[in-house]
Amino acid sequence: MKMILELSKVGISFETPRGSFEALKEVDLKIGEGEFISLIGHSGCGKSTVLNIVAGLLQATSGGAILDGKEVYEPGPERAVVFQNHSLLPWLTAYENVELAVKRVFKGKKSKAEMREWIEHNLSLVHMSHAMDKRPDEISGGMKQRVGIARALAMQPRVLLMDEPFGALDALTRAHLQDSLMDIHRKLGNTVIMITHDVDEAVLLSDRIVMMTNGPSATIGEVLDVPLPRPRDRLALADDPLFNRCRQRVLQFLYEKQRKVQPISLPIDSKKKNKKEERKHG
Amino acid sequence: MRMSWGKLRTAAKACAAICALTITSLSVAEVGYPEKEELKFGFIKLTDMAPLAIAYEKGFFEDEGLYVTLEAQANWKVLLDRVIDGQLDGAHMLAGQPLGATIGFGTQAHIITAFSMDLNGNGITVSNAVWDEMKKHVPMKDGKPVHPIKADALKPVVEKYRAEGKPFNLGMVFPVSTHNYELRYWLAAGGIHPGYYAPAKGDTSGQLKADVLLSVTPPPQMPATMEAGTIYGYCVGEPWNQQAVFKGIGVPVITDYEIWKNNPEKVFGVSKEWADKYPNTHIRVVKAMIRAAQWLDENNNANRPEAVKILAKPNYVGADAEVIANSMTGTFEYEKGDKRSVPDFNVFFRYNATFPYYSDAIWYLTQMRRWGQISDTKPDSWYTETAKKVYRPDIYAIAAKELIAEGKVKAADFPDFASEDGFRPPQKEFIDGVEYNGRTPNAYLESLKIGLKAKDKM
Amino acid sequence: MSSITMPGWIEPYLSVVKGEASRAQVAQLLRQIGLPVLGLLTFIFLWHIAAQRIDTSLGKFPGPSDVSQQVSTLYAEHKAGRAKEKAFYQRQEVRIEDRVAADPDYVPVRRDYTGSPTFFDQIITSLITVMCGFLVASVIAIPLGIVIGLSTSVHAATNPLIQLFKPVSPLAWLPLVTMVVSAVYVSDDPMVAKSFVVSMITVSLCSLWPTLINTSVGVTSVSQDLVNVSRVLRLGWAEHVRKIVIPSALPMIFTGLRLSLGIAWMVLIAAEMLAQNPGLGKFVWDEFQNGSSQSLGRIMVAVLTIGLIGFLLDRTMLGLQRWLVWDKQSAQR
């Protein structure tokens, strides 16, 4: 398999009023073309930070990400991002949101008609053709996320980066979108890095699952190959021993090896955030 | 026929010479078309702005090819400033304003006048409370006060207030206003010191050594200010004295006609720069205003009721017609119900009211010196020169002769331009009987009891 | 998209008309129409009673009937003014003919009517002035607000100045503006009157602050997600501002604009009163100076007119906001 993306010795530290805080340390990962990778770990472990470094939204303090042999130092459409809360421009329709990206990426490369066709094509990929002219506030959360995916796909990225894309959705909608995503991945063969904290989702969608240790100085704990054949069917897999073994491995990693032990020294902000979350759950 | 300004003046002079020789009918070179047709004149809401309103409403301005807009101004300072900076082409001004501006008291600017707007028209009003005190000292006849009432009657009241530690405040409309000088003249004639100015020392309040404190209030606000108790009385033009009677808040005690019979009042002022730039326009404005003044006095004030109606419009004076009518139609109401006939309360045309006499200018200059607005003593010649710089009977004469030639006015209603030198004969009809001769201002100043003398310097 | 939907508030009226209104709908109607009408009637009644008891030196305080009478007087004056204007133009034509006959070289120039403006003319003047002042303020405040919002350094540099000038009343600016305009705006044949420029600048100076502040806040609070979208798309600075920042800040900008227009209108009336610049403020001042028995009634008409116009201006801005801004929540009241 041809390697498309390489993370080598990536580390990042943030300056806080209490001094330097090392979030990531020595993250090494190679990703092949067409591979579907999931990043999983407890919240606050730095999954998003890894993704943001790949996206170019954050700069690594040491090491770096290399895409197609070139080092990444700024964001760009060849590393399209699907954000957790869709991040659609609320004043534009679904069509216009995708159009913004298409115009930016294919300016001078596609004619107007071609662009139109391309936008519609991508919206139909995510089953949103019927609601092209709706604004984000007129459609459901799942539909918004579909448009977000269409926008990312329409950029024809080398790597598609997804930051907990289905985290805010209900279980049913999430299942639908997972199926759609698998379908698209099968058709287009994109390289995907997805962050999730849903173990089933990770196993169902991924070729490999990258499990992160807890921070500070988080890094890759284990990498699990998911040798399940594609296309995968969620009903059939429910009773599949291989599927369950994979699931088991991930769960073990998360709840035995990397059980979250409190307190740990976190920057003030994330500490507060954690407390809030605890209160919510308790 | 178009003529240059220079030619025009030569023609006018030649004409004057012919007049002097023949005294027959006149033929005057025609004044050229106006250089500026759209004009904006400012005024203060007072009945003596009437010549402007009449010249507009009766079409006299339009007859001269002038399209004039009349605009009420907030106060005398704003009005003067706007004439100086050119927002207004000309304005209804206090006689002291062109003089004060030209000699540099207040804002410095060369302002000239070729038209006197009226004679008399002011009064002094005191609040009801002051009048009640004052009345005890006023001689009575048939149950009514004997007029003119002198400030002698006010003196004990002022002394009482001062003894109680209360400053006695009076309002006048502007430091160089006729009203300021008239009020001061009346007070001083009654032995009350109205205070000196000392501009050289930066004191422009005019309250040095004062028995009573005079301060500025815009005319239309006089009644309200007195009602509020800020001032105990004021000197102002009409209709604001009569307004006090109608509102029942005060009593007019004297008119300026009684302080100085047929005293010159407002003038029509323009900047020297404007007049030099638009000579024909200026003459034509004066022509229109002479006609308006004539209309106002014509047939023994026959047009006055109509004039009152015009002035009562909100865009002119705007007070109730009956208030304006009181003084404009020749009566003046002192105490409520004590209405007396004062046919010459407002004079717009007769007695050569519109002619800009040098001697009138000099009287104002003497008062400026008397009260310290002019810090140093000045020779008699300075008074004449200054008056000639500001008052322009030459321009007036061209306008008047033109009108005579057009048959719109009678030569008999004007001074004999050939022999007129701009000085009225010595006048004696002041409330204190002191004679004024415009040719000897310094001697006049010496003859006044209260006031600066030649040796004094503020 | 294009189907016409009946606004919700029409429904109860329709049902009443059709005679099928439920009790709840009737109650809703009473609340919507009945209460405001009741409030208005109570106010007029109280005003009527109070007016009779307030004695001023210009007579009784004008009650509702005096005011309605003054409205018709003002209208009659307006009509008379227009008739005079017509006569003025006819006279002018005759004069021009005469002059052309006497002086064939003369190139006729038509002069504008010189009569005094009527109440309704003053309203128009005020509206034009406030609009121009508001436009100037917006043209300055919106771009400046965007720059301030985008750059924390510019914000830090300008914030003290903004806080310093924001609370300055028009009364304080006016003399300075008047003197500066007199000195700077010199022309023999000015395109617009100095007084107009003075009022306009004063209005702008006082009304630009809410727009400036709200714009900068709106820009600062553009969601980080949208900024990331822009970064991923590698939008240039101009495109970022045009496509992301401005639309995103638009609800806040409009909130600022509405506040600004309200202030502009209030400031204008004060500026006109003080500086004697044409408009409704001057009308009020002139009537106060006139001190005739009608003056208070006429001032009261002006007061109500000023209020009504202020209200209509606000509603217009609200309508504009609803039409232009994507975030309908921000344009609720």
Side-chain angles (χ1 to χ4, degrees):
Chain A
M1 194 168 22
K2 186 192 164 201
M3 286 300 140
I4 179 169
L5 181 73
E6 192 179 338
L7 299 182
S8 60
K9 304 224 177 298
V10 171
I12 192 165
S13 305
F14 298 106
E15 294 307 318
T16 71
R18 289 191 189 170
S20 186
F21 168 75
E22 189 179 44
L24 288 180
K25 191 180 152 188
E26 307 217 339
V27 174
D28 281 298
L29 186 64
K30 286 192 168 88
I31 296 166
E33 180 135 34
E35 226 183 336
F36 197 120
I37 301 284
S38 287
L39 283 178
I40 199 162
H42 289 289
S43 47
C45 75
K47 311 182 289 276
S48 290
T49 312
V50 173
L51 194 88
N52 282 337
I53 290 170
V54 176
L57 293 167
L58 284 177
Q59 291 293 316
T61 323
S62 60
I66 294 155
L67 177 73
D68 289 330
K70 272 176 276 176
E71 190 175 350
V72 165
Y73 57 91
E74 63 166 351
E78 76 282 358
R79 280 161 284 122
V81 184
V82 176
F83 297 92
Q84 179 171 9
N85 45 24
H86 67 81
S87 297
L88 298 179
L89 309 190
W91 52 91
L92 299 181
T93 62
Y95 181 90
E96 290 164 339
N97 263 291
V98 180
E99 186 185 35
L100 179 72
V102 169
K103 275 194 170 164
R104 183 68 204 142
V105 176
F106 297 103
K107 203 174 179 184
K109 291 180 202 147
K110 281 187 194 288
S111 71
K112 264 200 177 146
E114 282 170 336
M115 279 198 210
R116 178 163 190 91
E117 204 184 316
W118 177 242
I119 296 162
E120 285 171 357
H121 167 72
N122 279 287
L123 282 163
S124 73
L125 266 181
V126 296
H127 309 293
M128 282 300 294
S129 301
H130 63 290
M132 284 199 305
D133 295 318
K134 291 250 193 300
R135 291 227 186 115
D137 59 357
E138 297 167 317
I139 56 181
S140 71
M143 289 162 97
K144 278 182 234 184
Q145 204 51 274
R146 283 174 190 272
V147 178
I149 294 169
R151 178 174 63 185
L153 289 175
M155 297 179 210
Q156 262 189 342
R158 294 290 287 140
V159 184
L160 182 62
L161 305 173
M162 305 179 90
D163 189 357
E164 294 189 38
F166 314 131
L169 305 177
D170 63 89
L172 264 177
T173 313
R174 188 187 303 188
H176 279 297
L177 278 170
Q178 287 164 350
D179 290 345
S180 288
L181 185 58
M182 275 196 290
D183 196 33
I184 291 164
H185 181 243
R186 191 170 51 84
K187 278 188 206 152
L188 305 179
N190 314 70
T191 310
V192 182
I193 302 175
M194 180 177 81
I195 290 175
T196 181
H197 47 217
D198 178 337
V199 177
D200 286 6
E201 181 175 273
V203 178
L204 178 68
L205 296 176
S206 317
D207 297 320
R208 277 194 293 161
I209 299 172
V210 175
M211 289 169 269
M212 308 254 322
T213 64
N214 287 337
S217 307
T219 187
I220 294 172
E222 286 175 32
V223 178
L224 174 71
D225 274 305
V226 184
L228 290 168
R230 292 179 188 270
R232 297 170 183 172
D233 175 67
R234 68 171 64 243
L235 284 178
L237 286 176
D239 290 329
D240 188 310
L242 185 59
F243 176 84
N244 282 324
R245 218 164 39 239
C246 292
R247 212 169 149 262
Q248 197 65 27
R249 283 280 303 280
V250 180
L251 287 171
Q252 267 175 352
F253 178 85
L254 288 178
Y255 298 105
E256 286 173 12
K257 298 181 187 160
Q258 290 295 323
R259 193 140 61 117
K260 207 149 188 192
V261 191
Q262 298 280 10
I264 41 174
S265 97
L266 287 173
I268 311 166
D269 280 352
S270 56
K271 217 179 198 172
K272 265 186 205 156
K273 206 172 157 191
N274 274 357
K275 271 187 192 158
K276 249 186 222 162
E277 274 168 15
E278 274 163 27
R279 239 179 274 134
K280 236 187 253 167
H281 295 302
Chain B
M1 185 174 72
R2 276 176 189 277
M3 286 193 100
S4 73
W5 177 228
K7 271 190 194 165
L8 199 93
R9 283 181 67 166
T10 331
K13 272 183 200 154
C15 164
I18 294 164
C19 283
L21 286 171
T22 61
I23 324 176
T24 48
S25 77
L26 299 152
S27 80
V28 179
E30 202 180 319
V31 177
Y33 288 115
E35 300 87 351
K36 188 178 183 196
E37 293 183 357
E38 282 181 302
L39 304 171
K40 190 190 257 184
F41 295 150
F43 68 89
I44 296 291
K45 289 177 174 285
L46 291 164
T47 51
D48 55 18
M49 62 75 64
L52 282 169
I54 297 305
Y56 179 86
E57 294 290 334
K58 291 287 148 193
F60 298 149
F61 282 133
E62 284 183 37
D63 286 348
E64 300 298 333
L66 303 172
Y67 297 98
V68 172
T69 304
L70 298 176
E71 198 182 88
Q73 306 297 310
N75 57 55
W76 291 112
K77 172 152 174 43
V78 167
L79 173 139
L80 181 63
D81 287 346
R82 297 185 78 186
V83 169
I84 293 170
D85 73 11
Q87 291 190 62
L88 295 173
D89 292 291
H92 164 227
M93 280 186 191
L94 297 159
Q97 279 187 303
L99 293 163
T102 304
I103 65 170
F105 181 74
T107 322
Q108 160 80 51
H110 195 169
I111 304 288
I112 64 165
T113 177
F115 183 83
S116 268
M117 287 181 72
D118 60 325
L119 304 180
N120 312 322
N122 298 330
I124 296 172
T125 296
V126 297
S127 69
N128 288 334
V130 171
W131 173 243
D132 287 341
E133 298 271 326
M134 217 178 137
K135 211 172 167 181
K136 297 172 195 159
H137 310 284
V138 175
M140 305 291 274
K141 196 184 165 193
D142 304 333
K144 282 184 175 180
V146 178
H147 281 274
I149 296 172
K150 295 195 173 184
D152 305 52
L154 181 65
K155 201 172 180 182
V157 185
V158 173
E159 276 161 3
K160 190 177 157 225
Y161 272 74
R162 279 165 62 88
E164 287 167 11
K166 282 193 277 184
F168 198 88
N169 295 318
L170 291 173
M172 48 84 182
V173 307
F174 203 60
V176 296
S177 67
T178 331
H179 317 81
N180 187 18
Y181 305 128
E182 284 168 357
L183 182 57
R184 284 165 177 271
Y185 199 100
W186 180 68
L187 290 167
I192 303 172
H193 201 303
Y196 291 130
Y197 291 84
K201 292 180 196 152
D203 187 329
T204 51
S205 64
Q207 298 176 343
L208 298 172
K209 298 187 185 171
D211 295 332
V212 293
L213 304 180
L214 271 52
S215 57
V216 169
T217 306
Q221 277 143 261
M222 287 291 188
T225 312
M226 188 168 76
E227 205 180 350
T230 315
I231 50 176
Y232 301 124
Y234 52 75
C235 178
V236 73
E238 276 314 293
W240 310 115
N241 294 293
Q242 294 298 286
Q243 185 79 284
V245 183
F246 274 73
K247 288 179 164 186
I249 57 169
V251 176
V253 289
I254 190 166
T255 65
D256 61 344
Y257 181 80
E258 296 160 310
I259 299 173
W260 176 17
K261 188 177 161 189
N262 288 338
N263 65 88
E265 185 42 52
K266 303 293 180 318
V267 297
F268 179 77
V270 300
S271 76
K272 170 85 166 29
E273 197 190 335
W274 184 92
D276 288 347
K277 205 164 160 193
Y278 310 114
N280 292 345
T281 311
H282 193 192
I283 295 169
R284 285 173 177 273
V285 170
V286 174
K287 279 174 73 185
M289 292 185 68
I290 292 175
R291 286 179 70 194
Q294 176 180 255
W295 183 90
L296 278 161
D297 279 8
E298 215 159 55
N299 305 326
N300 211 8
N301 295 354
N303 292 329
R304 292 288 181 92
E306 190 186 341
V308 167
K309 261 191 216 158
I310 291 171
L311 291 178
K313 288 187 186 177
N315 52 321
Y316 296 126
V317 181
D320 287 336
E322 49 185 341
V323 178
I324 299 174
N326 240 15
S327 62
M328 276 288 278
T329 52
T331 58
F332 194 83
E333 193 168 0
Y334 291 93
E335 269 180 292
K336 195 127 200 150
D338 184 3
K339 215 173 196 177
R340 305 195 186 191
S341 165
V342 192
D344 282 347
F345 184 81
N346 278 120
V347 174
F348 291 103
F349 189 66
R350 51 184 176 265
Y351 317 132
N352 296 332
T354 55
F355 188 80
Y357 282 102
Y358 296 136
S359 53
D360 293 348
I362 292 169
W363 188 80
Y364 284 106
L365 291 170
T366 62
Q367 299 306 301
M368 289 179 187
R369 171 61 191 144
R370 182 183 183 187
W371 302 119
Q373 291 175 340
I374 297 170
S375 315
D376 293 314
T377 186
K378 304 275 184 190
D380 285 355
S381 61
W382 179 86
Y383 286 92
T384 312
E385 279 160 24
T386 307
K388 286 187 172 171
K389 245 202 240 171
V390 179
Y391 276 50
R392 296 295 296 272
D394 53 329
I395 295 169
Y396 179 93
I398 299 169
K401 284 177 209 164
E402 180 93 0
L403 285 171
I404 295 166
E406 288 170 13
K408 287 179 177 138
V409 295
K410 293 191 291 285
D413 289 336
F414 293 90
D416 177 2
F417 292 120
S419 58
E420 179 60 58
D421 62 359
F423 284 88
R424 293 186 199 256
Q427 291 160 279
K428 265 187 130 163
E429 287 158 313
F430 287 85
I431 193 164
D432 54 1
V434 175
E435 185 184 79
Y436 165 66
N437 183 350
R439 292 175 197 280
T440 54
N442 280 305
Y444 176 63
L445 281 169
E446 292 300 320
S447 67
L448 295 165
K449 240 182 276 159
I450 298 181
L452 296 180
K453 304 289 183 286
K455 58 185 188 310
D456 297 328
K457 185 174 171 165
M458 288 313 289
Chain C
M1 269 273 291
S2 57
S3 72
I4 299 163
T5 48
M6 203 69 81
W9 57 267
I10 283 190
E11 228 165 82
Y13 299 82
L14 275 179
S15 331
V16 169
V17 172
K18 288 185 197 150
E20 54 193 37
S22 70
R23 188 176 282 185
Q25 278 174 324
V26 172
Q28 190 192 350
L29 259 188
L30 275 181
R31 251 215 298 286
Q32 276 184 350
I33 304 182
L35 290 182
V37 168
L38 186 70
L40 200 65
L41 288 177
T42 313
F43 168 71
I44 290 177
F45 177 73
L46 288 178
W47 173 18
H48 175 75
I49 298 295
Q52 287 180 324
R53 283 156 202 273
I54 303 175
D55 255 319
T56 74
S57 58
L58 293 180
K60 293 219 182 302
F61 192 82
S65 58
D66 303 304
V67 169
S68 64
Q69 191 199 326
Q70 283 308 321
V71 171
S72 48
T73 311
L74 285 168
Y75 184 68
E77 280 172 18
H78 177 68
K79 285 292 224 189
R82 283 291 174 273
K84 264 182 108 173
E85 183 174 353
K86 212 173 151 198
F88 170 88
Y89 284 118
Q90 283 166 352
R91 285 199 305 276
Q92 185 172 199
E93 287 309 315
V94 174
R95 259 174 244 287
I96 285 174
E97 270 174 42
D98 289 352
R99 174 141 178 205
V100 170
D103 175 14
D105 296 340
Y106 178 65
V107 184
V109 188
R110 260 76 182 173
R111 304 295 178 184
D112 289 340
Y113 178 55
T114 56
S116 58
T118 68
F119 181 64
F120 298 92
D121 295 334
Q122 302 281 37
I123 294 177
I124 302 290
T125 309
S126 283
L127 279 176
I128 293 174
T129 317
V130 81
M131 277 318 185
C132 291
F134 174 64
L135 268 180
V136 169
S138 307
V139 164
I140 295 170
I142 295 176
L144 200 60
I146 290 172
V147 172
I148 291 171
L150 284 176
S151 154
T152 43
S153 337
V154 178
H155 178 261
T158 52
N159 192 45
L161 291 174
I162 293 174
Q163 300 306 332
L164 181 71
F165 286 121
K166 189 180 66 163
V168 176
S169 129
L171 287 70
W173 281 119
L174 203 60
L176 298 175
V177 173
T178 310
M179 297 317 287
V180 170
V181 169
S182 300
V184 176
Y185 186 67
V186 191
S187 150
D188 269 348
D189 186 22
M191 207 164 64
V192 287
K194 260 184 197 169
S195 59
F196 171 81
V197 178
V198 170
S199 311
M200 195 190 76
I201 293 180
T202 309
V203 165
S204 302
L205 277 177
C206 295
S207 71
L208 61 81
W209 309 109
T211 305
L212 182 66
I213 292 166
N214 277 282
T215 304
S216 68
V217 170
V219 170
T220 317
S221 51
V222 172
S223 128
Q224 188 56 42
D225 284 344
L226 298 189
V227 174
N228 282 342
V229 169
S230 166
R231 288 178 67 194
V232 167
L233 288 174
R234 284 202 191 132
L235 295 182
W237 188 85
E239 214 170 355
H240 172 65
V241 169
R242 201 157 49 88
K243 296 232 161 112
I244 309 282
V245 172
I246 293 181
S248 202
L250 208 55
M252 282 296 275
I253 294 178
F254 257 93
T255 306
L257 286 174
R258 265 177 76 197
L259 286 171
S260 281
L261 186 57
I263 289 180
W265 183 241
M266 283 202 276
V267 164
L268 176 72
I269 302 297
E272 286 170 351
M273 271 180 94
L274 273 169
Q276 299 291 295
N277 296 330
L280 277 171
K282 178 154 166 71
F283 176 87
V284 170
W285 185 250
D286 282 350
E287 285 301 335
F288 173 59
Q289 300 244 305
N290 285 347
S292 84
S293 50
Q294 319 240 298
S295 291
L296 290 182
R298 295 161 73 96
I299 290 174
M300 199 65 203
V301 175
V303 166
L304 295 177
T305 310
I306 290 166
L308 186 68
I309 291 176
F311 171 72
L312 291 178
L313 286 175
D314 190 60
R315 287 286 118 170
T316 312
M317 279 305 286
L318 192 64
L320 210 61
Q321 185 174 6
R322 285 202 178 130
W323 182 51
L324 286 175
V325 171
W326 49 274
D327 184 4
K328 306 299 171 198
Q329 293 299 314
S330 74
Q332 281 309 307
R333 39 179 80 236

